Amino acid sequence: MGMETTGRTEPVSGSEVTEGSASATPGGAQDAPPGPQATARSRRARLVRRARRIALALVLALLVPVLAAETALYVNHTGDLAPGTRTRDRDALWLGHAWVDGRKKDADVRALADRLRDTGIRDLYVHTGPLEHDGTLPKSVYPKARWFIDAVHRELPGVRVQAFLGDVLATERPDGMRLEQPGTRAAVVASARQVLDTGYEGVHLDLEPLHSGDRDYLALLDALRSVTRSRDARLSVAAHQIDALPGFHTLWGGVTGHPKGWSQRFFGQVARRVDQIAVMSYDTMQPLESTYSGYVAQQTSLALEVTPSSTDLLMGLPFFHENRFGHWNHAETVRAAVRGVRLGLSRTDADRARFGVALYIDFAATGADWRAYEEGWLG
């Protein structure tokens, strides 16, 4: 760039010319070379233009793949639903801790039974922990568990009650449960025996954040499965979502430090070790009902491909209402999730018998959530 046009003039070879003119005299003498200030301004202007080009390129590099992915999910939301892609009477419901700590009464159980009767729900995952970081479980945190189990059996014959045990892992923070320690895994197994002795008919494990490929977790599941099989009980887990693209959890973890997803291979390894695997198919960052539905359809297909026919596969439905990073309440609706589940089932394994949905969570659910489940999934 030349010097700024200010309207000021300066003498050149005995004549006055306006700055920026092509020549100074009829004879063609050139303008005087720019001064130091003009050179600095020119350099700054070039740097600004270059920075703007780089910023635009970065925005496009990020935006174009995102728009392409969202468009693909929108397209995935479209299509026909296969006949019969409804409940197989293998659904589940996550329940809060109030059911086993003394806050709930007989009238609450009767109301719960009225809500669940004539639905497809056959398993209740009632929050019985949390586990201590060392894997132990104080009996004092679930004093009314036996009462609740007996009440459910009385009001809802045939519905199983499983102990929902969870904790935060020390995978992304200094404190938390450390599965790499054999003593911790042994304590979790002992806690499982403890709740089965109480009368629970299964153990439902939810450890987060659990990174893909965790061999210590697989070893823990093997040990737990030995215990539950010996008691004729169920072993179920809450599972992370599957990578939408191969290796995506590695990329996402490198950017955010939180590799939330599992590889499809690891998901299959977990599924082969349990009786039930419930995908936490919410908190997906999707901005629209249509793209969320398409995302759930993709997750359902990916999970169906690697879950053995002997394992119950359950897709999570968001029976809660929050607006925060990763979850937009207007987008992640029960209606959209049910459509996505049915689309994935229709495209991948429409006749799959051991399949259902899992509702998270009872204390946050609204009447609209229950109606969407009943109308969309029960038919």
Side-chain angles (χ1 to χ4, degrees), residues 147-193:
W147 163 83
F148 179 64
I149 295 166
D150 291 342
V152 168
H153 290 167
R154 182 179 65 250
E155 299 291 339
L156 291 168
V159 172
R160 287 182 295 251
V161 183
Q162 299 191 40
F164 168 13
L165 305 178
D167 193 22
V168 176
L169 296 176
T171 49
E172 299 172 15
R173 49 188 289 179
D175 59 325
M177 181 180 288
R178 297 185 178 277
L179 291 181
E180 69 273 16
Q181 296 178 352
T184 299
R185 298 198 303 272
V188 174
V189 174
S191 295
R193 291 193 184 96

Side-chain angles (χ1 to χ4, degrees), residues 34-41 43:
Q37 289 184 344
T39 301
R41 286 194 296 268
R43 185 181 299 112

Side-chain angles (χ1 to χ4, degrees), residues 7-27 29-32:
R8 293 178 298 166
T9 60
E10 61 179 347
V12 179
S13 300
S15 302
E16 286 189 350
V17 296
T18 301
E19 289 182 358
S21 60
S23 62
T25 65
Q30 299 298 308
D31 289 340

Side-chain angles (χ1 to χ4, degrees), residues 16-101:
E16 286 189 350
V17 296
T18 301
E19 289 182 358
S21 60
S23 62
T25 65
Q30 299 298 308
D31 289 340
Q37 289 184 344
T39 301
R41 286 194 296 268
S42 176
R43 185 181 299 112
R44 284 195 298 270
R46 287 195 301 271
L47 291 175
V48 168
R49 288 200 305 273
R50 184 179 303 161
R52 287 173 177 169
R53 287 195 296 269
I54 292 173
L56 178 60
L58 290 174
V59 168
L60 290 175
L62 294 173
L63 189 59
V64 169
V66 169
L67 289 176
E70 292 301 293
T71 300
L73 291 178
Y74 176 81
V75 172
N76 206 38
H77 154 75
T78 63
D80 297 327
L81 302 173
T85 50
R86 301 281 187 175
T87 186
R88 277 85 163 119
D89 292 328
R90 291 180 177 273
D91 303 334
L93 171 65
W94 278 285
L95 296 174
H97 199 79
W99 294 99
V100 295
D101 67 4

Side-chain angles (χ1 to χ4, degrees), residues 112-364:
L112 177 66
D114 289 341
R115 167 61 75 183
L116 301 187
R117 198 172 287 116
D118 300 323
T119 69
I121 294 174
R122 294 296 175 267
D123 284 279
L124 301 178
Y125 305 142
V126 58
H127 190 268
T128 307
L131 294 164
E132 298 293 319
H133 290 341
D134 63 2
T136 59
L137 179 65
K139 292 183 179 180
S140 59
V141 301
Y142 57 99
K144 301 290 286 184
R146 183 73 249 186
W147 163 83
F148 179 64
I149 295 166
D150 291 342
V152 168
H153 290 167
R154 182 179 65 250
E155 299 291 339
L156 291 168
V159 172
R160 287 182 295 251
V161 183
Q162 299 191 40
F164 168 13
L165 305 178
D167 193 22
V168 176
L169 296 176
T171 49
E172 299 172 15
R173 49 188 289 179
D175 59 325
M177 181 180 288
R178 297 185 178 277
L179 291 181
E180 69 273 16
Q181 296 178 352
T184 299
R185 298 198 303 272
V188 174
V189 174
S191 295
R193 291 193 184 96
Q194 180 179 310
V195 294
L196 293 177
D197 289 342
T198 302
Y200 283 104
E201 298 156 285
V203 174
H204 178 76
L205 197 62
D206 178 21
L207 301 177
E208 303 179 46
L210 182 64
H211 294 177
S212 184
D214 191 321
R215 305 300 304 180
D216 297 315
Y217 180 67
L218 297 181
L220 173 61
L221 293 182
D222 289 337
L224 287 170
R225 187 71 178 277
S226 177
V227 172
T228 54
R229 280 183 168 176
S230 70
R231 304 289 190 93
D232 194 27
R234 310 283 282 179
L235 175 60
S236 59
V237 295
H240 289 23
Q241 296 157 29
I242 302 173
D243 284 343
L245 297 172
F248 183 76
H249 68 277
T250 302
L251 172 63
W252 187 252
V255 174
T256 67
H258 176 50
K260 180 180 179 180
W262 287 355
S263 71
Q264 191 181 34
R265 179 175 180 271
F266 183 67
F267 187 97
Q269 290 174 326
V270 173
R272 289 192 293 274
R273 287 170 165 82
V274 298
D275 299 299
Q276 295 174 326
I277 185 165
V279 184
M280 295 180 285
S281 41
Y282 36 76
D283 294 344
T284 64
M285 301 178 66
Q286 290 306 313
L288 304 171
E289 273 193 296
S290 55
T291 58
Y292 174 58
S293 176
Y295 183 88
V296 173
Q298 181 194 48
Q299 287 291 304
T300 302
S301 292
L302 290 171
L304 281 167
E305 289 171 357
V306 292
T307 301
S309 59
S310 57
T311 299
D312 287 352
L313 171 62
L314 308 178
M315 301 303 297
L317 302 185
F319 272 47
F320 63 98
H321 303 271
E322 299 175 4
N323 280 302
R324 51 177 169 73
F325 179 77
H327 179 87
W328 290 348
N329 184 54
H330 70 272
E332 294 193 11
T333 65
V334 176
R335 177 180 62 181
V338 168
R339 176 171 175 79
V341 168
R342 294 187 63 197
L343 281 169
L345 190 62
S346 299
R347 294 165 180 164
T348 311
D349 192 355
D351 298 323
R352 170 78 178 226
R354 304 185 74 94
F355 184 88
V357 295
L359 291 46
Y360 184 85
I361 187 171
D362 71 304
F363 58 77

